[in-house]
Amino acid sequence: MSIVVQNIERVDLGLIDALAQSGVATAHEAQRRTGLMAPYMRPIYSGARIAGNAVTVSLPPADNWMIHVAVEQCREGDILVVAPTSASDTGYLGDLLACSLAARGVRGLIIDGGVRDVRELTTMQFPVWSRAIYAQGTVKETLGSVNVPVVCAGALVRPGDAIIADDDGVCVVPRESAAEVVRQSQAREQKEAAVRARLKAGELGLDIYGMREKLAAKGLKYQ
Amino acid sequence: MSIVVQNIERVDLGLIDALAQSGVATAHEAQRRTGLMAPYMRPIYSGARIAGNAVTVSLPPADNWMIHVAVEQCREGDILVVAPTSASDTGYLGDLLACSLAARGVRGLIIDGGVRDVRELTTMQFPVWSRAIYAQGTVKETLGSVNVPVVCAGALVRPGDAIIADDDGVCVVPRESAAEVVRQSQAREQKEAAVRARLKAGELGLDIYGMREKLAAKGLKYQ
Amino acid sequence: MSIVVQNIERVDLGLIDALAQSGVATAHEAQRRTGLMAPYMRPIYSGARIAGNAVTVSLPPADNWMIHVAVEQCREGDILVVAPTSASDTGYLGDLLACSLAARGVRGLIIDGGVRDVRELTTMQFPVWSRAIYAQGTVKETLGSVNVPVVCAGALVRPGDAIIADDDGVCVVPRESAAEVVRQSQAREQKEAAVRARLKAGELGLDIYGMREKLAAKGLKYQ
Amino acid sequence: MSIVVQNIERVDLGLIDALAQSGVATAHEAQRRTGLMAPYMRPIYSGARIAGNAVTVSLPPADNWMIHVAVEQCREGDILVVAPTSASDTGYLGDLLACSLAARGVRGLIIDGGVRDVRELTTMQFPVWSRAIYAQGTVKETLGSVNVPVVCAGALVRPGDAIIADDDGVCVVPRESAAEVVRQSQAREQKEAAVRARLKAGELGLDIYGMREKLAAKGLKYQ
Amino acid sequence: MSIVVQNIERVDLGLIDALAQSGVATAHEAQRRTGLMAPYMRPIYSGARIAGNAVTVSLPPADNWMIHVAVEQCREGDILVVAPTSASDTGYLGDLLACSLAARGVRGLIIDGGVRDVRELTTMQFPVWSRAIYAQGTVKETLGSVNVPVVCAGALVRPGDAIIADDDGVCVVPRESAAEVVRQSQAREQKEAAVRARLKAGELGLDIYGMREKLAAKGLKYQ
Amino acid sequence: MSIVVQNIERVDLGLIDALAQSGVATAHEAQRRTGLMAPYMRPIYSGARIAGNAVTVSLPPADNWMIHVAVEQCREGDILVVAPTSASDTGYLGDLLACSLAARGVRGLIIDGGVRDVRELTTMQFPVWSRAIYAQGTVKETLGSVNVPVVCAGALVRPGDAIIADDDGVCVVPRESAAEVVRQSQAREQKEAAVRARLKAGELGLDIYGMREKLAAKGLKYQ
């Protein structure tokens, strides 16, 4: 049963942009250390930091037909999240599909598989996080689904969830908690800015966080 | 029985340069999706795109003696392809051997093993695709062969075959089909240029490639 | 029994700087091919080449409490070497701890685990060699030890040993042999400079190193 | 926010036993090729084939405290499914916890982490599917949750879903579709029994499935 | 261009049986340490030792249609060698296809991919060497070729080459050298039988092989 | 500088046998969770549980010459521990060397590399823990050392340290603490026997270990 769900709820783009501002590590902490994809998901070039609304694709290994179907469901501010039903390093997307996605305002691709034409993707600054870079082509023979819940690189992604991706990896923020995660992230950043200044001035975390007593109680000995 | 085959047939450098122009993904498609090395073969720096005639080396693990022998067999426009008889991450080549290869006009190294001095190799812009970066040195004790057929990172390479390498990986083009692959690649690029323009203008692959009917026939449902 | 050893002997910073000058591959050769960490230890950005005195940390997987303890033991010219008692990709260190280490003159981090905030670490040019990049946070619950001998990525590191790290990986130089390794490295570099000039001029290693006779004796045949 | 959900709905044990009868490959096909965990999940000994109701545990890496909490929530016919929040090969469970689980009628353990005492587990025939076998011990310091939805080895598992595990791996059957999957599996087995008999008698799949015409239409040539 | 080559030359079954007698390690040594597949190729159960004539299959990742085509090309004493054009752990073959192969006298399967129904395959004693065990099903949509040269797990296999497989892995013996390899293997076994008797009696390899002088000449020191 | 240290101190065989009795998991706990080799070290057959005195070998990758040298240094109750200076899956040892080791009373082999003839080794019940099984042969060209400290699979092993190996992996017990580890292990076993009986009778670890209060204090909620 292959379906395309057309009208999904999305996170407001103002919140999305605030999530991009915070980045993966902060948002992940702000939502109690949940939502990270596996560390094998790496960016094809460094320095990009994006957030967007997930349009999800579940497709068979080594078959990229459903990505063509998914493009039509994308709009400004989306991120395409592609999860093959079994792992394959095959290159599911190249510069042509990236052009098509960029033309619709898609901000990047998250794929638990391979990608190709990375030189061209880098030139056009279309960021991709993938498990592999591989030129191997796919077929277009078997259906999958668009905008159904998927598990991508170990994380559950539902259509319309917020995705954040940067050099630290990829994090999923459930749609309904996006506003709260933005609030927590910003609070966290403010607190960290104060600590950062003290650390740069030479103060120790041992003192700032008041750890010495607890360490001694656990039995730490100095020689 | 260790041998060095001295006079191998090569692909004309005009064709070689045309293959470099097309790149790995296009040439791989143009020869019916054959010839790719495994995706663990990664460039030591990004952005290089080369093609050349393969001078092949079969050598024992962790022994680089035969690379010294192979240098003498190289000429302008060659690429050295090194395949240990069993996998080892040892650093078979550093900046000295690279200087020697560059002095003979060799365009790069493909090695199913390790490489070292990558900072120096990057500075001198000598591109390498390898399975590892590792400073561990080799011995020079045991013979191998030069210019015999080898399997390198899962691909069969015969001496004088054309090699293309870029950020997408490494592809082998059999010597006798190089001209045909160039023709097919260029035809493919022209076709893609037209499609790319339409995709950038917002047309969908679903319409350009006429996929909607076939998708419906397979049973795809929209909700 | 968790301990912090406070007064360790270190290598003189003059020798340390000479080791940084030589780099990993040369120093590794100069000490008879010993001391390399495993090739999965990769820098978070390329181009850095550092040396320093090891302050070692042994800690439980996914718990970074002892890094806070270790910061206080660091001084100008140190490198922090962190070895979890079992492998975990968790991100043990981010930009706050890096600020604190940098404020004490620490030159970089070697960790057989994960690291996060790599965009910020790159901006502040605090180099890290790690087995993973991962935003996953740690707990602060269980003690470990500082400045005890550890095995990190397959190499034995004792507190106060010299560490060299660059794009080729990470090498440990035992404290007591640092002076000798500097001497051997510099001798090696001088010899290599002469060979490099001859190779660039087109001479062959086969002739420079006098290999032809030995190859023939082993039975190498030319066709 | 760490919680223990105490009253979960389960699949009827009659259906569970029917699923065990069918095995992983058949049930996976019967539910349209969904629900498989990653292939790195391997049994500690071969030959076991079990099914049960999932009691799920989400816990921090290298900390097995929540398994002790989960035992109390288990009953006859359950399977414990343990998903650390980041990967660790640490040995989360040994023969003592296995004795405790067996005493409550638990049929086996699925863990995206390590296990130890495998000789004793084999002797007592308590089957485990895990990503590693490793003697490294855990701490008991940090909370997690019991009977919340988890992603385990790439598959979404909700408390009370049915789990099937055998030498082919591990498959999750959503609680609400268990009855339908049993029906489909049994239908599939009957059909396969008939085909198996014909194949053993020497008939070809090409003929039984009527593939020859379609192959010719696709362009297959015989030489 | 998908083809099925129907009439291939095979190695005489008398030689094949002699190769099975020798096993992988001996035959590999007897043909100068060539022909081994990668060490990730493991048997689904231990103790099997087979040899046979290769019927080769090149097929797309996650598509097993061509295995059905290949069955018809098999005869008594063959081994099926399956090489996907890019790596996939998908389960290409289960007990139905194994029944069909066994009915034609096929001795086993070598597949650079996944296999399923391993409990049933073990019961019927149909041996398989594979890179993975995985229940994930395949499609039947895209053509490949039968009896063309393939690279399988890093080794070149031409149709009709001899394959040997046992607990040590898989070795390819080129058809034209099978007789010579049998001769060399048997000579090697006789020599080893004599050495084995002396070693069991307590003599040292150092003395039997006369290594002491060469070791001393290389500089080995005893303390 | 290649050396063979001939007279090493060993652990008394009575203690060694007591360590074998306890097994890896228990001894590892008894010495405060230290000394484990990496989990990729797996036995070639299951069920073996041995302990012995380490005779260590440091050798170049893919060269087994020093194993022949090491055999002479072995005596009743030893275990050979082999650590290549860089990783290689090559098969360093087969049944001939195993016969020689067994003839001297060696109880097994621990090798951070490959092994071959595993069917024969299984038949003669000579246990091996290795990172790979691979038929690929080695050369005998380059020296290494016997009975020097080595890092094997991430663990420091000094000659004469006690080694324990079973289905859970491999653990190193420093020579000077062997007696204490035996004492602690036996105490631990007695305590565990009592707990095991209570768990089998249906008591919960939550109650036996008194965890409920601490869990509540940390904030665990039941729904």
Side-chain angles (χ1 to χ4, degrees), chain D residues 101-118:
Chain D
L101 288 166
R104 296 187 79 80
V106 173
R107 296 185 177 175
L109 169 73
I110 313 295
I111 182 163
D112 195 358
V115 66
R116 63 182 186 179
D117 296 336
V118 298

Side-chain angles (χ1 to χ4, degrees), chain A residues 4-105:
Chain A
V4 181
V5 177
Q6 296 189 88
N7 294 308
I8 62 170
E9 289 190 71
R10 288 172 166 86
V11 176
D12 175 84
L13 288 187
L15 290 175
I16 288 290
D17 291 343
L19 288 172
Q21 202 68 30
S22 297
V24 168
T26 298
H28 154 72
E29 289 285 346
Q31 66 179 345
R32 290 200 213 81
R33 303 190 169 179
T34 58
L36 285 180
M37 292 192 185
Y40 63 71
M41 295 294 283
R42 300 302 306 144
I44 59 168
Y45 58 87
S46 58
R49 175 169 279 177
I50 63 170
N53 287 293
V55 169
T56 64
V57 186
S58 168
L59 42 63
D63 189 315
N64 78 345
W65 207 10
M66 293 310 290
I67 298 182
H68 290 271
V69 174
V71 172
E72 191 177 26
Q73 305 306 319
C74 292
R75 65 163 76 147
E76 176 65 33
D78 285 347
I79 289 179
L80 197 67
V81 177
V82 179
T85 52
S86 83
S88 165
D89 288 343
T90 305
Y92 291 81
L93 177 142
D95 87 295
L96 286 185
L97 271 167
C99 280
S100 188
L101 288 166
R104 297 186 78 81

Side-chain angles (χ1 to χ4, degrees), chain B residues 44 91 93-95 115-122 132-136, chain C residues 22-26 28 36-43 46-49 129 164-171:
Chain B
I44 57 168
L93 176 142
D95 87 296
V115 65
R116 62 182 186 179
D117 296 336
V118 297
R119 193 163 90 149
E120 290 73 15
L121 298 181
T122 303
I133 294 172
Y134 197 26
Q136 175 76 33
Chain C
S22 296
V24 167
T26 297
H28 154 73
L36 285 179
M37 290 191 186
Y40 62 70
M41 295 294 283
R42 300 302 306 146
S46 57
R49 173 169 280 177
W129 285 255
I164 318 173
D166 61 20
D167 291 345
D168 287 346
V170 184
C171 186

